[in-house]
């Protein structure tokens, strides 16, 4: 029974938004290395930009993002000045390579005032070469939104808004310090649509303090009633050893592994009943949405924002803690906001760490991405892409299926498949291809 598996397989595993995962990044990769890699990109490489705004006007106690609370606007003004320096420097190196997608995340980019939305948007367009059909998405906290901001986002070219909901139950909201009504959320959805934004995403969480199966189902029903094109249903990652403010959460009120599984299952069933299609292990989309189309055609991808339909050759991270991925490796900027600002304004490098990809990393990264996106790994395709270097990974994939005692993975002719009952545990199957997992000491959050 799948519920028993939720208890048996309740071991920490990475989310595999990158491979190798972030704990394996090291200081040996620096700004000079990054800039060499940028220079080596082909002239027609498609570029995706990620811009990080590490500020919020209050801290939600569940939050695992890199952000800090600000009570005044001046720290944001100072940060944008440093960001401008980094944008100018990196834009000059990227040159005319086409930017096909831009995502502003955080923190809460929704804190920016209308003038800064326009200035920062223009700064990016001046520094980089935007493709005509560029996708522009932003993360919005409904509590920050005021009527003047919608027009500013639209004028900057916004095409998709991602709105945080988490859970609508007032008891859960009080326990996570995030009060946000359904009506308030609906107003934001309608306002964003009114300025012409065609695609919306809503984030939900399960596994929160005091959350129940009935409450998660009701939140899923309310979210679906707003008809966002996409819904992300994440499991709350409780990592107080990394995020001190999570210790404000009463651990006695947290659901156990079985209850978490039941909540995720019930919320997912509600979304499916409301016409959404399942995308990977934690996303949902309406059938016409580009994520659903990409999923059906085997063109789904995974990056630091989770599942995406965005097909780029290089992801460039801008801002404190931002992570980039180039064909040659990953880079991460300095995490501490003040230090980032100082380095950027002094014209020094802001890259703090990263990892150069070995050939084996590239094969495993590709294999893990296909497993988590398609729930299968085709050995012939892996061999066609990577030649003899695919063999150790194919051997590991075969071993994963042969050693599986739980019925979560099986071998079909020429491929490893994650079974239907194994889908909630897809990351556990993928971990079987992770060459670093046995040697590291990194701590991760729960599998489900
Ligand atoms: C940067 S935040 C959201 C943007 C915006 N600040 C907001 O809160 O609406 C992106 C999403 O990450 C998810 N998230 C944050 N902390 C998390 C955690 N500890 N575990 C799982 N998901 C988390 C939430 O669903 C959140 O909406
Ligand atoms: S969830 Fe969003 S609003 Fe809340 S602290 Fe995190 S980034 Fe800020």
């Amino acid at each position: 029974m799948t519920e028993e598996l939720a208890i048996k397989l309740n071991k920490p595993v990475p989310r595999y938004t990158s491979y190798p995962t972030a704990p394996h990044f090291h200081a040996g990769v620096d700004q000079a290395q990054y800039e060499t890699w940028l220079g080596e990109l082909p002239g027609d490489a498609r570029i995706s930009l990620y811009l990080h705004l590490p500020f919020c006007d209050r801290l939600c106690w569940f939050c695992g993002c890199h952000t800090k609370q600000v009570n005044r606007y001046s720290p944001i003004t100072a940060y944008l000045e440093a960001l401008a320096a980094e944008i100018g420097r990196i834009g000059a190196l990227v040159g005319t390579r086409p930017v096909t997608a831009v995502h502003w995340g955080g923190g809460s980019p929704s804190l920016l005032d209308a003038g800064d939305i326009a200035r920062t948007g223009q700064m990016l367009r001046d520094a980089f070469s935007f493709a005509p059909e560029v996708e522009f998405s932003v993360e919005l906290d409904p509590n920050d939104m005021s009527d003047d901001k919608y027009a500013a986002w639209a004028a900057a070219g916004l095409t998709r808004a991602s709105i945080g909901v988490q859970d609508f139950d007032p008891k859960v909201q009080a326990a996570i310090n995030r009060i946000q009504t359904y009506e308030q959320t609906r107003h934001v959805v309608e306002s964003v649509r009114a300025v012409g934004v065609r695609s919306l995403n809503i984030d939900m969480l399960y596994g929160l303090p005091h959350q129940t199966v009935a409450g998660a189902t009701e939140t899923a029903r309310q979210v679906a009633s707003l008809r966002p094109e996409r819904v992300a249903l994440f499991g709350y990652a409780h990592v107080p050893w990394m995020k001190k403010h999570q210790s404000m959460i009463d651990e006695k009120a947290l659901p156990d592994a079985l209850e978490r599984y039941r909540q995720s299952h019930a919320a997912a069933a509600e979304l499916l009943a409301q016409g959404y299609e399942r995308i990977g292990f934690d996303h949902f989309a309406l059938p016409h949405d580009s994520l659903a189309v990409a999923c059906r055609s085997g063109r789904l991808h995974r990056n630091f924002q989770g599942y995406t339909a965005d097909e780029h050759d290089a992801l460039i991270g801008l801002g404190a803690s931002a992570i980039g991925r180039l064909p040659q490796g990953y880079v991460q900027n300095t995490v501490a906001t003040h230090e980032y600002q100082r380095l950027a304004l002094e014209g020094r490098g802001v890259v703090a760490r990263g990892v150069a990809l070995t050939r084996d990393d590239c094969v495993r990264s590709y294999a893990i991405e296909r497993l988590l996106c398609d729930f299968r790994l085709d050995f012939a395709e892996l061999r066609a892409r990577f030649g003899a270097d695919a063999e150790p990974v194919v051997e590991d994939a075969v071993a994963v299926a042969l050693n599986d005692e739980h019925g979560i993975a099986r071998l079909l002719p020429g491929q490893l498949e994650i079974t239907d009952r194994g889908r909630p545990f897809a990351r556990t199957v993928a971990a079987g291809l992770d060459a670093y997992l046995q040697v590291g000491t990194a701590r991760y959050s729960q599998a489900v």
Side-chain angles (χ1 to χ4, degrees):
M1 193 179 153
T2 317
E3 286 199 344
E4 284 166 17
L5 284 185
I7 300 169
K8 279 193 190 147
L9 296 176
N10 183 32
K11 297 193 185 74
V13 275
R15 294 187 63 231
Y16 292 116
T17 52
S18 73
Y19 180 85
T21 54
H24 298 287
F25 294 6
H26 56 81
V29 172
D30 59 8
Q31 186 82 21
Q33 176 71 85
Y34 178 36
E35 296 191 359
T36 303
W37 286 348
L38 282 176
E40 290 168 359
L41 288 175
D44 59 354
R46 291 158 305 174
I47 306 291
S48 185
L49 301 179
Y50 172 77
L51 195 75
H52 192 74
L53 279 300
F55 302 103
C56 294
D57 47 9
R58 54 99 176 59
L59 275 195
C60 310
W61 294 333
F62 66 88
C63 185
C65 309
H66 170 60
T67 189
K68 71 174 181 189
Q69 186 172 7
V70 286
N71 304 315
R72 295 165 298 123
Y73 198 79
S74 52
I76 299 178
T77 307
Y79 180 78
L80 291 178
E81 209 184 309
L83 197 57
E86 191 194 2
I87 289 172
R89 177 171 181 154
I90 301 301
L93 294 167
V94 172
T96 56
R97 297 175 179 97
V99 170
T100 53
V102 184
H103 182 80
W104 298 21
S108 298
S110 40
L111 270 186
L112 295 182
D113 65 24
D116 280 333
I117 294 167
R119 272 188 293 279
T120 310
Q122 192 55 49
M123 199 155 69
L124 287 174
R125 285 178 191 271
D126 291 344
F128 293 92
S129 178
F130 277 33
E133 296 295 300
V134 63
E135 283 243 27
F136 174 14
S137 53
V138 67
E139 291 169 13
L140 301 180
D141 171 3
N143 289 292
D144 301 331
M145 295 305 287
S146 56
D147 286 342
D148 60 315
K149 292 187 183 177
Y150 297 103
W153 284 113
L158 192 69
T159 61
R160 174 175 307 113
S162 182
I163 299 170
V165 163
Q166 327 312 343
D167 191 285
F168 281 126
D169 181 345
K171 189 171 177 193
V172 175
Q173 293 191 352
I176 58 174
N177 195 36
R178 182 172 177 122
I179 310 299
Q180 177 183 329
T181 65
Y182 173 77
E183 285 66 34
Q184 182 188 6
T185 310
R186 190 179 60 195
H187 178 71
V188 173
V189 167
E190 287 170 356
S191 304
V192 171
R193 293 232 188 258
V195 294
V197 174
R198 299 259 176 279
S199 182
L200 288 183
N201 172 77
I202 288 186
D203 290 337
M204 288 178 57
L205 291 181
Y206 64 86
L208 291 170
H210 297 294
Q211 208 173 14
T212 61
V213 169
T217 310
E218 177 58 10
T219 295
R221 192 191 63 75
Q222 289 174 293
V223 164
S225 75
L226 299 169
R227 302 317 279 168
E229 281 69 18
R230 302 177 181 185
V231 179
L233 173 62
F234 299 126
Y236 166 50
H238 187 60
V239 288
W241 59 90
M242 284 168 66
K243 296 285 164 185
K244 294 279 171 271
H245 57 260
Q246 288 188 349
S247 55
M248 296 294 287
I249 287 188
D250 177 7
E251 293 191 344
K252 292 192 294 301
L254 287 175
D256 63 15
L258 182 56
E259 178 65 14
R260 280 172 69 95
Y261 174 77
R262 287 180 175 154
Q263 290 173 6
S264 81
H265 188 73
E270 182 63 30
L271 293 170
L272 296 175
Q274 299 285 344
Y276 286 85
E277 289 181 1
R278 200 189 274 279
I279 311 295
F281 62 83
D282 59 7
H283 279 53
F284 298 81
L286 290 175
H288 67 267
D289 182 76
S290 55
L291 203 60
V293 175
C295 183
R296 290 194 297 268
S297 55
R299 302 178 74 111
L300 192 64
H301 294 283
R302 227 173 133 62
N303 67 14
F304 293 99
Q305 279 95 57
Y307 288 102
T308 175
D310 174 17
E311 298 206 304
H312 53 257
D313 301 303
L315 169 68
I316 291 184
L318 299 160
S321 81
I323 296 177
R325 187 193 167 153
L326 306 185
Q328 306 94 325
Y330 293 95
V331 286
Q332 181 173 27
N333 284 352
T334 301
V335 174
T337 306
H338 275 117
E339 178 70 354
Y340 164 82
Q341 289 177 207
R342 189 179 64 77
L343 293 170
L345 287 174
E346 285 173 4
R348 314 242 310 269
V350 295
V351 168
R353 62 183 73 84
V355 61
L357 295 174
T358 65
R359 180 77 173 159
D360 187 61
D361 291 335
C362 293
V363 186
R364 290 178 190 276
S365 171
Y366 180 84
I368 288 173
E369 186 181 34
R370 286 338 311 153
L371 262 184
L372 295 183
C373 290
D374 307 334
F375 295 121
R376 66 181 67 237
L377 175 64
D378 187 295
F379 301 153
E381 197 206 328
L382 200 67
R383 289 179 172 122
R385 267 177 191 269
F386 298 102
D389 297 320
E391 290 317 318
V393 184
V394 170
E395 275 172 32
D396 285 354
V398 170
V400 163
L402 296 182
N403 296 331
D404 169 37
E405 301 161 3
H406 308 293
I408 60 175
R410 64 176 172 174
L411 278 180
L412 295 178
Q415 53 181 292
L416 172 68
E417 187 198 56
I418 298 179
T419 60
D420 285 348
R421 77 192 299 247
R423 287 185 178 206
F425 313 101
R427 296 187 295 150
T428 305
V429 179
L433 304 186
D434 184 338
Y436 295 85
L437 212 52
Q438 311 311 327
V439 284
T441 52
R443 291 170 78 185
Y444 299 97
S445 58
Q446 280 165 283
V448 173

